[in-house]
Amino acid sequence: MKPKVYITRIIPEEALNVIAEHCEYEVWPRETQAVPRPVLEEKIRAADGLYSMLTDRIDKPLLDMAPCLKAVSNMAVGFDNIDVDECTARGILVCNTPGVLTETTADLAWALLMAAARRITESERFLRENKWTTWSPMLLTGIDVYGATLGIVGFGRIGQAVARRAKGFGMRVLYYNRTAKPDLEASMGVQRATLDELLKASDFVSVHVPLTDETRGMIGPRELALMKPTAVLVNAARGQVVDEQALCRALKEKQIFAAGLDVFQEEPLPPDSPLRELDNVVLLPHIGSASVATRTKMAIMAARHLIQALRGERPEHIVNPEVLA
Ligand code: NAP
Ligand code: GLV
Ligand code: GLV
């Protein structure tokens, strides 16, 4: 008998084909709506494998309804939507999609950095609203990127890819990370700093830590107060790493110059979010890895992981390898 797989969103055909070859599967057939919890709760009962999205909460109550589940394959590198400890305790493998999205997400962090620094989206709104009456010396003036200091919080795959791009902009790069990376300090010419040092010295701060109990609220009122009034904060990691209320206040009071956000405490960003009222923040709908090529690679990788796990092979990327130990 073929294993049963539930897929929580429409995925590219190339990825679906990988699953179809080896499994019986069902798909939540909507592109623009996440699978409703009651549907997931019903489908999980018979599933040997779950192909999940970062919008699905894979928690203890759900796992309690999943007697056959052997593997959860998340189509994302982040896995904060999954209770990994509960999965491990039940011998359920958890897989993610690291690496294939690194450069695409680093590009997006740079797009946010540039857009916030040079007021790109605000300027476009200005033009479209027919407010452009003349060229003017100080009209829509922003902050220089070239030659500035970039502080990277979380110097992993994406943080390092963001740092590599800074070279062309003649930037000094500081990083704050759990563990030191002395080899990279030498080869990339970056300097390690404490979080406080980095926040005080940087013109741009870009956040690339995963969301964990340690990183939740890492950038709060105290940290924002350490930043320069001319500084820009970029977050393309997870919304909860930054205290959104405190950030909103800091932007409103011009305690910092601007922010660029791809991720939010609550997604989609609520219609009444006060961030929407501010001109000095660039708001994007969680599109960090959203290139056609990268999303396709992620989808295929997640499919392959699920098949490998269900065939008793070792998936290429496992979040909780203890399960196989
Ligand atoms: P990664 O390679 O695991 O890098 C994470 C880095 O953060 C590691 O260097 C890690 O340190 C560091 N870190 C973890 N906890 C820390 C702490 N408490 N204090 C300081 N540093 C800490 O992950 P990645 O592939 O770069 O991805 C990073 C995150 O980006 C993902 O988890 C995901 O949430 C987010 N993401 C968002 C999008 C988007 O669409 N916006 C796309 C892709 C990824 P060590 O070196 O000590 O392990
Ligand atoms: C996207 O946010 C990811 O974690 O892949
Ligand atoms: C601006 O367009 C300039 O020529 O300086």
Side-chain angles (χ1 to χ4, degrees):
M1 270 231 320
K2 286 183 171 180
K4 287 193 175 62
V5 163
Y6 190 66
I7 307 172
T8 65
R9 201 73 58 86
I10 293 175
I11 56 172
E13 204 180 333
E14 298 97 304
L16 196 60
N17 289 343
V18 173
I19 292 177
E21 203 183 319
H22 304 279
C23 305
E24 270 182 42
Y25 68 89
E26 253 192 283
V27 183
W28 170 249
R30 309 262 175 92
E31 174 98 55
T32 55
Q33 184 200 358
V35 60
R37 179 75 177 194
V39 175
L40 184 57
E41 287 179 357
E42 188 216 315
K43 299 296 180 187
I44 202 77
R45 290 174 196 277
D48 299 299
L50 181 68
Y51 188 116
S52 59
M53 304 291 143
L54 56 83
T55 45
D56 305 319
R57 214 163 18 85
I58 315 301
D59 52 13
K60 185 176 184 301
L62 187 79
L63 294 167
D64 281 339
M65 300 174 191
C68 331
L69 196 64
K70 293 169 196 69
V72 177
S73 186
N74 215 34
M75 195 193 131
V77 67
F79 46 83
D80 49 278
N81 58 309
I82 301 172
D83 190 331
V84 176
D85 289 342
E86 280 296 330
C87 287
T88 305
R90 295 152 200 256
I92 298 169
L93 272 176
V94 178
C95 299
N96 65 339
T97 61
V100 284
L101 46 51
T102 297
E103 303 296 346
T104 304
T105 307
D107 286 347
L108 193 277
W110 265 92
L112 281 173
L113 186 158
M114 302 277 289
R118 295 299 302 273
R119 303 171 65 177
I120 300 296
T121 49
E122 181 189 359
S123 295
E124 203 204 358
R125 284 195 296 275
F126 176 87
L127 180 154
R128 286 178 187 268
E129 287 164 11
N130 285 322
K131 292 178 180 162
W132 185 21
T133 54
T134 180
W135 188 94
S136 196
M138 298 309 284
L139 179 66
L140 290 164
T141 45
I143 298 290
D144 276 317
V145 177
Y146 188 85
T149 296
L150 171 62
I152 297 187
V153 177
F155 204 52
R157 287 172 294 249
I158 297 169
Q160 290 165 34
V162 169
R164 284 195 295 274
R165 284 156 177 72
K167 213 173 175 137
F169 287 87
M171 289 174 122
R172 176 164 83 112
V173 178
L174 305 175
Y175 77 93
Y176 168 67
N177 197 60
R178 184 170 50 188
T179 49
K181 312 262 175 175
D183 295 355
L184 294 177
E185 285 170 39
S187 64
M188 296 176 72
V190 300
Q191 275 171 274
R192 191 176 189 206
T194 65
L195 183 56
D196 285 11
E197 286 167 351
L198 179 150
L199 293 166
K200 284 183 206 164
S202 296
D203 301 301
F204 297 90
V205 174
S206 195
V207 177
H208 300 285
V209 286
L211 176 63
T212 64
D213 289 342
E214 288 83 55
T215 63
R216 193 179 301 276
M218 184 180 240
I219 307 293
R222 192 191 76 83
E223 288 71 27
L224 290 163
L226 293 176
M227 291 176 68
K228 299 181 184 184
T230 49
V232 169
L233 178 73
V234 170
N235 186 5
R238 282 293 180 269
Q240 295 92 326
V241 175
V242 175
D243 178 336
E244 205 169 276
Q245 263 181 314
L247 174 61
C248 205
R249 234 175 4 251
L251 288 167
K252 202 170 191 166
E253 291 164 8
K254 307 275 157 61
Q255 198 181 5
I256 64 172
F257 180 73
L261 307 175
D262 187 44
V263 288
F264 303 91
Q265 223 149 283
E266 188 187 339
E267 297 181 7
L269 186 66
D272 61 352
S273 165
L275 284 173
R276 292 176 187 259
E277 306 300 315
L278 304 176
D279 267 328
N280 57 343
V281 60
V282 179
L283 306 170
L284 296 180
H286 203 145
I287 57 167
S289 62
S291 73
V292 176
T294 291
R295 284 286 170 82
T296 306
K297 284 182 200 162
M298 291 163 65
I300 293 171
M301 178 182 267
R304 217 167 45 224
H305 287 156
L306 198 54
I307 300 305
Q308 288 162 337
L310 293 176
R311 298 173 89 188
E313 295 162 12
R314 191 184 176 88
E316 294 144 83
H317 301 98
I318 310 171
V319 171
N320 55 353
E322 316 81 278
V323 169
L324 294 180

